[in-house]
Amino acid sequence: MKNVLLIGVGRFGRHIAMHLNQLGHQVMAVDRNEERIDAVMPYVTNAQIGDSVNEDFLRSLGVGNYDVCIVTIGSSFQDSLETACLLKELGAKWVVSRAERDVQEKFLLRNGADQVVYPEKQMAKWTAIRYSSDHVFDYIEIDSQYAIFEVEIPENWTGKNVGQLDIRKKYGINILATRKYGKTDVAVSPETVLEGDATILVLGEYKAIQKCFRI
């Protein structure tokens, strides 16, 4: 369980709060808008109405006591940038900030943010990959080179076991799990037989996965 300081609880921030709550983390929510604070109260441990560009207010929160500080301010990039900078100056351990444009990402990383999330850009990439292929069901980016894909099992693989296919040797791709009827099985061995009504989760380089599954 982690202690999280969440600054900005608009739509994106509220969804983060909901998921953190489901994961069992303790969340302190901060926003200058009382209505937003009221809306997020069911999902957070504590909440305060305040201005995150006010140094005295931020200091009163004891930002150094949180495992991570997440800044999701979307209405004003200036406020987001100042907040990230103040958090780091006040001893925040790890600052994650939201960006909406490439240039914002660069400024945030230079001025206090340890990591930047770019929801629109990341979701656009996911959507493009997911819906441009009939064989891809999900996708998780690991870095610029590697990713995890949930893909349909090719017809000529059906009934064969993982050892027979040997895609690790041929393509450098690892089969991490199989999924069937919404249930994931990570107990994959060379003897695991692939069934036509299942999907598989594979890890590898983008180009290798594209070549192997004709994505």
Side-chain angles (χ1 to χ4, degrees):
M1 181 181 68
K2 289 193 173 184
N3 291 316
V4 180
L5 175 60
L6 178 61
I7 299 176
V9 286
R11 284 177 296 178
F12 183 53
R14 186 167 65 253
H15 281 295
I16 291 176
M18 292 167 66
H19 288 294
L20 287 171
N21 177 60
Q22 291 172 2
L23 293 168
H25 299 297
Q26 292 190 342
V27 181
M28 163 66 84
V30 171
D31 200 290
R32 64 179 64 168
N33 186 302
E34 186 175 354
E35 290 182 1
R36 289 179 178 178
I37 289 294
D38 289 341
V40 83
M41 281 301 296
Y43 314 110
V44 300
T45 314
N46 292 294
Q48 285 198 36
I49 301 168
D51 191 344
S52 62
V53 299
N54 183 311
E55 185 174 348
D56 291 334
F57 172 70
L58 273 189
R59 184 180 285 108
S60 73
L61 298 174
V63 298
N65 296 320
Y66 294 94
D67 297 298
V68 60
C69 299
I70 304 176
V71 183
T72 67
I73 299 170
S75 57
S76 168
F77 177 64
Q78 182 66 33
D79 287 355
S80 178
L81 188 64
E82 287 185 30
T83 299
C85 188
L86 283 172
L87 284 169
K88 191 54 71 173
E89 288 178 359
L90 293 170
K93 297 172 185 174
W94 192 258
V95 178
V96 179
S97 294
R98 173 188 181 179
E100 294 181 344
R101 291 184 293 167
D102 292 342
V103 67
Q104 292 180 357
E105 183 177 7
K106 293 176 182 178
F107 274 109
L108 286 164
L109 290 171
R110 291 172 184 169
N111 293 276
D114 296 291
Q115 193 165 354
V116 171
V117 291
Y118 197 155
E120 289 82 3
K121 184 177 181 179
Q122 290 158 348
M123 194 61 194
K125 186 174 183 178
W126 183 92
T127 302
I129 290 172
R130 167 64 181 86
Y131 293 105
S132 63
S133 172
D134 296 331
H135 311 295
V136 176
F137 295 90
D138 205 352
Y139 151 82
I140 301 170
E141 183 177 283
I142 304 299
D143 57 27
S144 60
Q145 190 174 4
Y146 291 91
I148 296 172
F149 280 77
E150 180 182 356
V151 295
E152 185 179 69
I153 294 173
E155 250 184 73
N156 60 340
W157 290 17
T158 302
K160 296 180 181 179
N161 65 39
V162 173
Q164 286 175 296
L165 296 168
D166 199 17
I167 65 168
R168 186 173 185 177
K169 184 177 180 180
K170 293 176 183 176
Y171 299 97
I173 296 171
N174 292 297
I175 298 178
L176 303 179
T178 61
R179 294 197 74 192
K180 190 174 180 179
Y181 306 130
K183 294 185 178 180
T184 303
D185 183 3
V186 296
V188 176
S189 71
E191 289 73 40
T192 299
V193 176
L194 301 180
E195 301 175 16
D197 55 352
T199 59
I200 52 175
L201 274 71
V202 295
L203 167 65
E205 290 187 359
Y206 288 97
K207 290 181 180 178
I209 292 174
Q210 287 173 332
K211 183 178 179 181
C212 182
F213 296 98
R214 297 184 176 89
I215 295 171

